[in-house]
Amino acid sequence: MPSTVTSCFRGYLSMSISATGSPQPVDPDPDPQPPPPAVPGGPLPEFAAEPLAVPRPPGGLATATTVLLALSGLYALLLTGTGLYLGSALRTGSHPDAGTEDGGTLLALVGFVETPLLVVTAALFIAWFHRVHHNALFLGRDAVTRSTAWAIGGWLVPFAFLRIPYRSAKEIWAASLLRGPD
């Protein structure tokens, strides 16, 4: 009984509904060839290695990062000056808030600008560092041992951010020296 059901089912699958005069559909290969075995130590056949993308100039990011780093430094000096002024004014009693608990309002208002400035500066710096690391692969592939993902992730991993970005920067420097002077 099972063979009769199977043969009816096969007959049903082999039938096709087509218009008069149209070519019959081609049956798929009943015994497809298995994919070739992977070469030991080589890329898998379906995952061929892709060439690296083209290096992009870091000039625009470098300029923006430099400007934001300078602004952050100047703003930190402003914040330090504000804190020193506020501290001396509160000690001498010449500040209007000298006798209240609200002496840090001015410092808090100045600090609200610093946090977004630092976040944007850090994001641009990490983007610039990633681009420079990516370009270092073209300058000297043997000098760069970490992937470009570590150019970003190295700054975000706790305790690793003390060592990984430093080593990546050394690799970028070494790769740029392999090219020779301009």
Side-chain angles (χ1 to χ4, degrees):
M1 178 81 173
S3 64
T4 308
V5 172
T6 306
S7 63
C8 286
F9 191 23
R10 279 190 191 148
Y12 177 74
L13 286 178
S14 65
M15 293 188 315
S16 68
I17 300 172
S18 58
T20 310
S22 64
Q24 292 294 323
V26 179
D27 288 335
D29 190 14
D31 187 28
Q33 296 292 326
V39 178
L44 295 174
E46 58 270 358
F47 299 109
E50 295 182 17
L52 291 173
V54 222
R56 295 184 299 168
L61 274 176
T63 304
T65 302
T66 304
V67 167
L68 281 177
L69 281 171
L71 282 175
S72 293
L74 289 174
Y75 202 78
L77 286 174
L78 173 71
L79 191 59
T80 303
T82 304
L84 291 173
Y85 164 75
L86 187 61
S88 70
L90 286 175
R91 266 186 251 111
T92 62
S94 63
H95 194 269
D97 294 333
T100 66
E101 300 266 334
D102 201 24
T105 305
L106 178 62
L107 202 55
L109 288 175
V110 173
F112 276 125
V113 177
E114 185 182 28
T115 303
L117 183 65
L118 285 176
V119 168
V120 170
T121 302
L124 263 174
F125 178 79
I126 291 173
W128 168 81
F129 196 76
H130 176 265
R131 184 170 294 178
V132 170
H133 189 276
H134 176 74
N135 289 348
L137 292 173
F138 294 98
L139 296 174
R141 190 161 185 84
D142 296 334
V144 180
T145 59
R146 298 191 192 301
S147 71
T148 54
W150 277 111
I152 296 171
W155 293 98
L156 306 175
V157 178
F159 299 111
F161 71 88
L162 298 171
R163 184 76 176 143
I164 292 175
Y166 172 74
R167 300 227 18 220
S168 294
K170 280 181 64 174
E171 291 174 357
I172 292 168
W173 186 261
S176 67
L177 291 178
L178 290 177
R179 241 347 206 217
D182 289 336

